[in-house]
Amino acid sequence: MKPIFSFLLRLLRTLDLGLRLVLNLIVLVFILVIIGALFGPSAPSVPDGAALILNPKGILVEEFTGRPLERAANQFFGDEIPEVRVIDLLKVIQAATTDERIKLIVLDTDGLLGGGLAKLQEISAALLQFKAQGKKVIALGSGFSQNQYYLASVADEIHMHPMGLVFISGYSAYTNYFKEGLDKLGVEWNVFSAGDYKSFGEPYTRSDMSPEAKEANFALIEVLWRAYQEDTVAARGFDQDAISAYVNSLVDPQSSHHGDLSRLALETGLVDYLSTRDEMRRRIAELVEVDMESEEFPEIQMDAYLAHLNTSRQISIPGRDEIAVVVASGTILDGWHPPGTVGGSSTSSKIQHAVDAENVKAIILRVDSPGGSTFASDLILRELEIAQEHGIPVIVSMSSVAASGGYWIAMSADEIWASPTTVTGSIGVVAMFPTFEGTLAKIGIHTDGVSTTPLAGSLRPDRSLPDEVKRTLQLSVDNYYDRFISKVSLARDIDEREVREIARGRVWSGEDAFRLGLVDRMGGITEALESAAEIAGIGDDYRVRIIEQEMSLSDQLLINIFNSFESIPVVSRLAAGARDPRERLLGSFIDRISDLLKLNDPSGIYFHCLCDRY
């Protein structure tokens, strides 16, 4: 027995020692990760004669969606919908334009998921400035979607894989209509609106698009399609109707391409080369003048170059003038909300922070919003007016969408900039109150009782709205509409009768809004910053300061830890693949449907439009 006990004792001691070693190793790794997180990574170096790999992955946005800690955790577990900030892309391209170490840009569009023509136009303009310095842009793609091809069209060379295709389809405006389904469910969806073209409530009261909505939507998508064609044919040196002819050839059964869509793209000049991946790499090596037989070349990835720029410019010069950029992106809701949503309180707080900052001489409000809560919109507008009362100029830069409530928060600015393809206007008001008494009746549930006044118990979802309450709600919506008209008239110095004619809830393109006086100038955020500096009288030597929601030290530490763990292959593999990309896209679709349930204006009245879907 003694030898057995002796063996077991040695085994237990060995297991104990092994366990201690494993635990100590885990603690050591964790300590090293924390140290790395605290001190952060060193600035990546930029090799001379490098190719900058510009490979945006995800949807183009004005600000990342969600709180930073949530984003870091979602990214770690492979659960995020990828996003790329437009301002980061512009920063990278503009810095590379004057960086002598960057010889060319390799534009890899495979991961780009779109985000609005106005955003693409700003990035395209920056790439054209890069080319104006005598540097080259080479576009690579397994294939090109409509948005991907728009950016690729500015390149000196476009390389597509032989198995790819260029899919350009034009623009459309379709949405689901629920009236018949709601009737079958017994739901009474009460909609109160002001403005003949205010179509936000139509999906719940109709089974098709109204003539007014069709008129406005078609006029808008015509502008987008015309701009897309004009820009791409100018970039490629095509005939004016080349893009339309290509689209028609894709669906023409008599077309000569016989289903070989990559060959069609080559023959029509949409791409310059059909190249495999290794051929693409050899071409880049040739352009940076290294061994042509090699696929290796000096390069730096977009994210690494951005990190280099951020790290090398962290030291702020005391007393240096600043222009603050406040982003208002997403639906406007009452209260405090994370980035990707325009919270009335949270966005107002960011504006206050900019006003209180000692060196801020001007504020850029970057708007990418279809509107939302009337109350929250007015809170934000008032904070901007307070900034102006403090002598700080406010310049609005409209991104893809700045409509309804998105226009309300913009209208009093010292200057409003928009892209020709910005969706704006939608000066109108809507309120909705669904009731479910018919639905409940189908399963034998009824509501009855008594009240002291006609209003008491009237706003219950299980009771039909009384006629007098419906009249009151409509009068309230009409009043908000009159206020909207009056404020636009005063802010834009347009006769009120003219505003009533161009309002009516109609969406306009940026170029039409400029013609009508709703915006002042055409251009993107780069031009808006230059104008802000001029208006504030601070010259060219200023710092751009993006005002973001502040993070606690603990949140920052946890984010850095997540980022550090991502560099450990085993941990990264275990965390990745938690969800299939198709599942994430389905989740995004469900999120969009649920957006309606998030609307939380105290009075239930909204400056909102269905104009963020083009």
Side-chain angles (χ1 to χ4, degrees):
M1 291 292 292
K2 188 175 179 180
I4 296 175
F5 280 118
S6 178
F7 171 76
L8 290 175
L9 184 60
R10 287 197 301 272
L11 179 61
L12 288 173
R13 284 176 177 171
T14 304
L15 290 174
D16 179 63
L17 179 61
L19 181 60
R20 287 172 184 269
L21 286 172
V22 170
L23 289 175
N24 287 334
L25 182 61
I26 291 173
V27 171
L28 179 61
V29 170
F30 191 71
I31 290 172
L32 291 174
V33 168
I34 290 178
I35 291 172
L38 285 171
F39 291 98
S42 58
S45 60
V46 181
D48 288 328
L52 171 61
I53 311 300
L54 197 70
N55 53 347
K57 292 182 174 64
I59 302 170
L60 297 175
V61 296
E62 297 303 331
E63 66 178 356
F64 295 123
T65 302
R67 293 179 176 84
L69 181 56
E70 294 171 355
R71 293 200 308 270
N74 288 338
Q75 182 177 357
F76 178 72
F77 290 108
D79 212 22
E80 90 287 6
I81 295 176
E83 296 176 327
V84 184
R85 288 200 309 185
V86 172
I87 200 163
D88 289 337
L89 272 175
L90 294 176
K91 184 177 184 178
V92 164
I93 298 168
Q94 289 164 359
T97 301
T98 56
D99 191 335
E100 294 180 356
R101 297 167 297 181
I102 303 297
K103 188 164 187 179
L104 78 154
I105 284 178
V106 177
L107 178 61
D108 180 354
T109 63
D110 277 358
L112 179 64
L113 301 179
L117 183 57
K119 297 183 183 72
L120 294 169
Q121 286 179 315
E122 291 196 53
I123 298 165
S124 175
L127 289 170
L128 289 171
Q129 286 294 319
F130 179 87
K131 289 178 58 177
Q133 297 301 310
K135 300 183 178 184
K136 285 186 176 294
V137 176
I138 308 299
L140 315 177
S142 301
F144 296 96
S145 68
Q146 182 165 293
N147 289 322
Q148 292 169 348
Y149 186 77
Y150 181 88
L151 279 189
S153 68
V154 306
D156 297 280
E157 297 177 13
I158 302 178
H159 294 254
M160 186 176 74
H161 194 277
M163 300 296 287
L165 77 152
V166 178
F167 186 74
I168 300 173
S169 61
Y171 290 90
S172 63
Y174 290 97
T175 193
N176 296 122
Y177 289 83
F178 309 110
K179 175 67 166 64
E180 187 175 342
L182 292 172
D183 287 345
K184 289 180 178 179
L185 294 172
V187 179
E188 183 182 354
W189 204 286
N190 301 283
V191 175
F192 311 92
S193 62
D196 298 337
Y197 293 89
K198 195 65 179 177
S199 59
F200 181 67
E202 277 191 6
Y204 311 98
T205 60
R206 297 180 58 94
S207 296
D208 59 357
M209 189 178 289
S210 69
E212 293 82 5
K214 284 186 176 180
E215 176 192 344
N217 287 331
F218 186 74
L220 181 62
I221 61 176
E222 265 197 321
V223 170
L224 299 180
W225 184 224
R226 184 177 71 247
Y228 184 96
Q229 294 181 86
E230 288 176 352
D231 292 349
T232 50
V233 300
R236 297 294 291 165
F238 291 154
D239 293 335
Q240 188 173 358
D241 61 349
I243 298 297
S244 288
Y246 174 78
V247 174
N248 292 334
S249 69
L250 285 176
V251 296
D252 183 1
Q254 304 302 319
S255 178
S256 60
H257 60 76
H258 301 300
D260 189 347
L261 299 181
S262 60
R263 181 60 55 182
L264 173 66
L266 181 66
E267 291 175 353
T268 54
L270 266 69
V271 302
D272 299 301
Y273 302 96
L274 297 180
S275 306
T276 59
R277 296 274 176 89
D278 57 298
E279 289 171 337
M280 292 178 189
R281 289 193 293 270
R282 281 197 293 272
R283 175 55 179 157
I284 298 167
E286 178 184 346
L287 290 169
V288 295
E289 298 177 347
V290 299
D291 182 3
M292 289 176 58
E293 296 302 318
S294 171
E295 295 178 12
E296 301 297 325
F297 50 86
E299 64 177 281
I300 185 165
Q301 297 288 320
M302 177 184 77
D303 290 343
Y305 190 57
L306 180 62
H308 167 80
L309 296 175
N310 291 338
T311 305
S312 60
R313 299 178 184 182
Q314 278 181 352
I315 300 174
S316 179
I317 301 173
R320 187 181 185 186
D321 291 330
E322 297 178 332
I323 297 177
V325 176
V326 176
V327 176
S329 177
T331 301
I332 301 174
L333 302 178
D334 186 33
W336 292 82
H337 293 275
T341 300
V342 187
S345 299
S346 46
T347 304
S348 294
S349 176
K350 290 196 286 186
I351 297 167
Q352 292 165 7
H353 187 67
V355 172
D356 293 338
E358 183 178 353
N359 297 328
V360 169
K361 306 302 180 185
I363 293 174
I364 297 282
L365 181 70
R366 178 71 166 178
V367 182
D368 193 23
S369 171
S373 165
T374 55
F375 179 75
S377 298
D378 200 54
L379 285 181
I380 297 167
L381 176 63
R382 181 57 192 146
E383 287 302 329
L384 293 169
E385 291 172 344
I386 291 171
Q388 292 170 306
E389 291 168 6
H390 280 76
I392 300 176
V394 173
I395 289 81
V396 164
S397 171
M398 293 180 170
S399 181
S400 296
V401 181
S404 205
Y407 187 77
W408 179 279
I409 64 177
M411 62 183 167
S412 293
D414 295 275
E415 203 169 68
I416 300 176
W417 287 76
S419 162
T421 57
T422 295
V423 180
T424 188
S426 191
I427 300 170
V429 189
V430 66
M432 295 188 291
F433 191 87
T435 59
F436 303 90
E437 68 282 355
T439 310
L440 294 172
K442 290 177 181 291
I443 56 174
I445 298 175
H446 304 276
T447 304
D448 196 12
V450 293
S451 62
T452 57
T453 72
L455 286 177
S458 61
L459 295 176
R460 292 175 55 109
D462 56 359
R463 290 189 65 212
S464 179
L465 280 181
D467 288 341
E468 55 267 33
V469 174
K470 290 181 179 180
R471 286 193 296 270
T472 299
L473 286 171
Q474 185 60 57
L475 286 172
S476 181
V477 166
D478 291 340
N479 177 263
Y480 273 90
Y481 181 59
D482 289 340
R483 291 191 206 181
F484 206 159
I485 296 291
S486 298
K487 289 185 78 73
V488 172
S489 174
L490 180 64
R492 304 302 303 159
D493 193 24
I494 306 175
D495 185 88
E496 193 167 311
R497 288 171 296 183
E498 291 183 42
V499 177
R500 287 192 179 276
E501 183 60 31
I502 63 178
R504 302 166 67 194
R506 178 164 182 164
V507 291
W508 300 99
S509 67
E511 66 178 31
D512 285 334
F514 173 71
R515 173 178 55 83
L516 296 168
L518 294 176
V519 303
D520 298 299
R521 303 179 73 174
M522 293 281 96
I525 193 168
T526 301
E527 292 80 10
L529 283 165
E530 293 170 355
S531 182
E534 183 180 345
I535 292 171
I538 59 175
D540 298 330
D541 186 24
Y542 60 86
R543 174 175 175 261
V544 176
R545 179 177 180 181
I546 301 175
I547 306 296
E548 298 181 289
Q549 291 183 18
E550 295 184 359
M551 284 189 295
S552 66
L553 288 175
S554 60
D555 279 0
Q556 183 61 63
L557 177 60
L558 287 170
I559 289 169
N560 289 338
I561 289 173
F562 274 124
N563 293 338
S564 298
F565 271 131
E566 278 192 325
S567 64
I568 303 174
V570 173
V571 178
S572 179
R573 284 196 296 270
L574 287 174
R579 287 176 62 188
D580 183 270
R582 290 165 294 183
E583 184 183 346
R584 293 200 296 270
L585 288 174
L586 178 60
S588 175
F589 175 74
I590 294 171
D591 287 344
R592 286 183 62 85
I593 297 297
S594 67
D595 281 347
L596 187 65
L597 302 176
K598 298 176 184 177
L599 297 177
N600 65 345
D601 185 84
S603 60
I605 299 176
Y606 298 92
F607 302 136
H608 207 308
C609 74
L610 288 173
C611 50
D612 58 346
R613 63 193 190 284
Y614 299 106

